[in-house]
Amino acid sequence: PIEEPPLTTARLEDAVRGGDVAEVRRLLDRGVCVNSPIDDDGHTVLDVLMVEHATTLQGALSPKGFERRCDADALTDLLERQHSTAQEMFRLLRKRGATVSYSYDPPPRPSEAPDVSGPSASQQTWKSGS
């Protein structure tokens, strides 16, 4: 029998990067956790999808990008296919509970803010300009 490689978050990440919706679905169906961190910073595969898609779009519209050698119709068709795949991947990941790794650190409350006395920098600049 052919032995399958282990089911890992790294394989899920590779499938997301490669736009392989069928493989992502298979890995998730077999129990790979959609929100397991892919790096020490806690990024998830949904972060990967967002960055990969943004990079693809940016590269396609770059004056030196490979796709810019296409005519307008070919470039539009290419962007539509890439966007469609990214949308399908996004829907699949979200349906399985994927979240981005973004966290919001609210600013300190006034009672926790450092004590700053004296004129602010903008006030000092204003006064020095007079």
XYZ file of all heavy atoms in Angstrom, residues 57-97:
329
model
N -2.638 39.694 -6.613
C -3.290 40.840 -7.261
C -2.305 41.972 -7.494
O -2.279 42.580 -8.561
C -4.468 41.321 -6.419
C -5.644 40.356 -6.315
C -6.685 40.901 -5.353
C -6.239 40.058 -7.670
N -1.485 42.246 -6.496
C -0.501 43.321 -6.621
C 0.488 43.006 -7.740
O 0.829 43.866 -8.540
C 0.225 43.520 -5.305
C 1.156 44.699 -5.299
C 1.801 44.906 -3.931
O 1.870 43.998 -3.117
N 2.267 46.102 -3.691
N 0.945 41.755 -7.805
C 1.894 41.360 -8.842
C 1.302 41.450 -10.235
O 1.971 41.858 -11.192
N 0.026 41.082 -10.346
C -0.625 41.130 -11.654
C -0.766 42.557 -12.153
O -0.732 42.808 -13.361
C -1.996 40.462 -11.575
N -0.919 43.486 -11.243
C -1.115 44.882 -11.645
C 0.182 45.682 -11.675
O 0.188 46.835 -12.077
C -2.134 45.537 -10.718
C -3.517 44.877 -10.784
C -4.440 45.496 -9.755
C -4.098 44.969 -12.172
N 1.263 45.057 -11.248
C 2.564 45.720 -11.279
C 2.999 45.935 -12.729
O 2.820 45.054 -13.566
C 3.601 44.851 -10.557
O 4.904 45.311 -10.815
N 3.572 47.085 -13.045
C 3.996 47.333 -14.431
C 5.020 46.316 -14.933
O 5.125 46.082 -16.115
C 4.621 48.731 -14.378
C 4.202 49.332 -13.103
C 3.813 48.222 -12.174
N 5.757 45.689 -14.018
C 6.772 44.728 -14.426
C 6.327 43.281 -14.197
O 7.081 42.356 -14.423
C 8.074 44.981 -13.662
C 8.697 46.316 -13.995
C 9.979 46.518 -13.246
C 10.547 47.890 -13.575
N 11.789 48.148 -12.879
N 5.101 43.079 -13.716
C 4.608 41.736 -13.445
C 4.485 40.916 -14.715
O 4.226 41.441 -15.799
N 4.665 39.604 -14.583
C 4.594 38.697 -15.724
C 3.253 38.830 -16.442
O 3.187 38.879 -17.664
C 4.794 37.253 -15.268
C 4.526 36.247 -16.356
C 5.439 36.082 -17.391
C 3.361 35.504 -16.366
C 5.191 35.179 -18.407
C 3.103 34.600 -17.379
C 4.019 34.432 -18.402
N 2.171 38.889 -15.656
C 0.848 38.930 -16.240
C 0.606 40.198 -17.051
O -0.271 40.248 -17.898
C -0.240 38.789 -15.167
C -0.307 37.414 -14.536
C 0.694 37.230 -13.401
O 1.433 38.186 -13.075
O 0.759 36.130 -12.854
N 1.382 41.248 -16.796
C 1.194 42.509 -17.522
C 1.607 42.372 -18.986
O 1.345 43.249 -19.784
C 1.966 43.638 -16.855
C 1.419 44.031 -15.504
C 0.024 44.547 -15.608
N 0.051 45.894 -16.127
C -0.938 46.738 -16.065
N -2.065 46.376 -15.528
N -0.825 47.939 -16.554
N 2.235 41.276 -19.336
C 2.592 41.044 -20.731
C 1.387 40.537 -21.523
O 1.443 40.413 -22.723
C 3.740 40.049 -20.821
C 5.004 40.592 -20.174
C 6.159 39.638 -20.312
N 7.149 39.999 -19.321
C 7.875 39.136 -18.644
N 7.744 37.855 -18.846
N 8.754 39.544 -17.759
N 0.297 40.220 -20.813
C -0.940 39.783 -21.451
C -1.697 41.004 -21.954
O -1.483 42.115 -21.500
C -1.856 39.075 -20.443
S -1.135 37.720 -19.541
N -2.642 40.748 -22.854
C -3.524 41.854 -23.227
C -4.560 42.035 -22.124
O -4.645 41.237 -21.194
C -4.161 41.635 -24.597
C -5.112 40.441 -24.644
O -5.630 40.014 -23.592
O -5.350 39.941 -25.756
N -5.347 43.081 -22.198
C -6.288 43.422 -21.131
C -7.308 42.317 -20.886
O -7.633 42.006 -19.739
C -6.994 44.737 -21.462
N -7.810 41.694 -21.952
C -8.802 40.630 -21.783
C -8.194 39.411 -21.087
O -8.807 38.825 -20.193
C -9.402 40.214 -23.130
C -10.304 41.286 -23.711
O -10.863 42.086 -22.928
O -10.447 41.319 -24.952
N -6.997 39.028 -21.485
C -6.338 37.866 -20.874
C -6.025 38.138 -19.406
O -6.198 37.259 -18.558
C -5.060 37.521 -21.640
N -5.576 39.354 -19.112
C -5.270 39.707 -17.728
C -6.540 39.695 -16.882
O -6.558 39.179 -15.770
C -4.600 41.080 -17.656
C -4.264 41.588 -16.258
C -3.312 40.634 -15.541
C -3.661 42.975 -16.331
N -7.627 40.225 -17.426
C -8.897 40.244 -16.705
C -9.379 38.823 -16.432
O -9.818 38.504 -15.325
C -9.958 41.030 -17.504
O -9.477 42.356 -17.707
C -11.280 41.082 -16.760
N -9.281 37.944 -17.418
C -9.683 36.537 -17.235
C -8.824 35.857 -16.175
O -9.334 35.116 -15.340
C -9.582 35.769 -18.553
C -10.628 36.202 -19.573
O -11.614 36.870 -19.185
O -10.450 35.870 -20.770
N -7.518 36.124 -16.215
C -6.611 35.542 -15.225
C -6.967 36.009 -13.819
O -7.058 35.211 -12.879
C -5.163 35.928 -15.549
C -4.097 35.501 -14.536
C -3.993 33.987 -14.490
C -2.761 36.113 -14.885
N -7.191 37.306 -13.658
C -7.554 37.844 -12.347
C -8.881 37.265 -11.862
O -9.039 36.964 -10.683
C -7.619 39.370 -12.392
C -6.279 40.074 -12.540
C -6.483 41.560 -12.790
C -5.406 39.844 -11.326
N -9.823 37.078 -12.768
C -11.111 36.500 -12.390
C -10.945 35.068 -11.876
O -11.530 34.696 -10.859
C -12.071 36.525 -13.578
C -13.455 36.012 -13.227
C -14.427 36.100 -14.391
O -13.985 36.315 -15.544
O -15.620 35.950 -14.133
N -10.132 34.270 -12.555
C -9.886 32.886 -12.108
C -9.201 32.861 -10.744
O -9.577 32.107 -9.859
C -9.045 32.133 -13.143
C -9.810 31.692 -14.359
C -9.001 30.727 -15.227
N -7.672 31.210 -15.577
C -7.409 32.010 -16.617
N -8.378 32.432 -17.388
N -6.173 32.380 -16.871
N -8.186 33.706 -10.579
C -7.464 33.737 -9.310
C -8.365 34.205 -8.179
O -8.337 33.653 -7.078
C -6.223 34.629 -9.423
C -5.151 34.048 -10.308
C -4.030 35.028 -10.589
O -4.186 36.231 -10.486
N -2.879 34.497 -10.974
N -9.172 35.210 -8.445
C -10.071 35.729 -7.418
C -11.144 34.694 -7.075
O -11.497 34.521 -5.907
C -10.694 37.043 -7.885
C -11.499 37.721 -6.833
N -10.942 38.239 -5.687
C -12.828 37.943 -6.733
C -11.902 38.753 -4.927
N -13.053 38.583 -5.542
N -11.635 33.997 -8.070
C -12.658 32.972 -7.849
C -12.123 31.857 -6.956
O -12.797 31.412 -6.022
C -13.116 32.411 -9.197
O -14.049 31.388 -9.007
N -10.904 31.411 -7.215
C -10.284 30.373 -6.390
C -10.089 30.872 -4.962
O -10.364 30.149 -4.005
C -8.932 29.938 -6.992
O -9.161 29.421 -8.296
C -8.252 28.888 -6.130
N -9.622 32.110 -4.823
C -9.417 32.679 -3.484
C -10.743 32.785 -2.738
O -10.810 32.511 -1.537
C -8.728 34.044 -3.573
N -11.806 33.172 -3.424
C -13.128 33.259 -2.789
C -13.606 31.889 -2.325
O -14.127 31.750 -1.218
C -14.157 33.845 -3.759
C -14.099 35.330 -3.893
C -15.206 35.823 -4.801
O -15.464 35.258 -5.856
N -15.866 36.880 -4.374
N -13.433 30.886 -3.178
C -13.843 29.526 -2.807
C -13.058 29.041 -1.589
O -13.617 28.456 -0.668
C -13.651 28.579 -3.996
C -14.133 27.180 -3.729
C -13.935 26.253 -4.917
O -13.394 26.684 -5.969
O -14.318 25.080 -4.783
N -11.753 29.313 -1.589
C -10.903 28.919 -0.463
C -11.336 29.648 0.802
O -11.440 29.050 1.881
C -9.439 29.230 -0.780
C -8.464 28.785 0.269
S -8.189 27.004 0.254
C -7.215 26.848 -1.241
N -11.592 30.953 0.687
C -12.013 31.743 1.843
C -13.310 31.177 2.425
O -13.434 30.996 3.636
C -12.200 33.212 1.431
C -12.626 34.093 2.572
C -11.687 34.591 3.456
C -13.961 34.401 2.771
C -12.070 35.400 4.523
C -14.359 35.208 3.825
C -13.412 35.709 4.711
N -14.277 30.903 1.567
C -15.558 30.366 2.045
C -15.371 29.024 2.759
O -15.983 28.772 3.799
C -16.529 30.212 0.882
C -17.081 31.531 0.410
C -18.167 31.320 -0.651
N -18.492 32.572 -1.279
C -18.192 32.883 -2.540
N -17.577 32.007 -3.311
N -18.522 34.055 -3.031
N -14.542 28.166 2.189
C -14.283 26.866 2.810
C -13.644 27.038 4.187
O -14.090 26.434 5.172
C -13.373 26.014 1.915
C -12.852 24.712 2.516
C -14.002 23.761 2.869
C -11.868 24.056 1.555
N -12.605 27.855 4.259
C -11.914 28.055 5.536
C -12.841 28.677 6.577
O -12.869 28.251 7.733
C -10.667 28.929 5.335
C -9.543 28.297 4.501
C -8.447 29.309 4.234
C -8.992 27.052 5.170
N -13.619 29.676 6.178
C -14.547 30.320 7.125
C -15.643 29.353 7.569
O -16.023 29.340 8.731
C -15.161 31.573 6.501
C -14.189 32.727 6.410
C -13.749 33.236 7.770
N -14.900 33.793 8.479
C -15.108 33.684 9.779
N -14.249 33.056 10.541
N -16.174 34.212 10.339
N -16.124 28.535 6.657
C -17.154 27.544 7.009
C -16.627 26.577 8.061
O -17.376 26.106 8.915
C -17.582 26.788 5.742
C -18.712 25.810 5.963
C -19.116 25.159 4.660
C -20.238 24.162 4.909
N -20.633 23.509 3.658
N -15.335 26.326 8.014
C -14.697 25.420 8.979
C -14.219 26.149 10.222
O -13.555 25.579 11.074
C -13.531 24.686 8.333
C -13.907 23.866 7.115
C -14.903 22.751 7.454
N -15.251 21.992 6.278
C -14.708 20.826 5.946
N -13.809 20.283 6.721
N -15.068 20.226 4.835
N -14.514 27.456 10.327
C -14.203 28.199 11.544
C -12.901 28.966 11.543
O -12.445 29.434 12.598
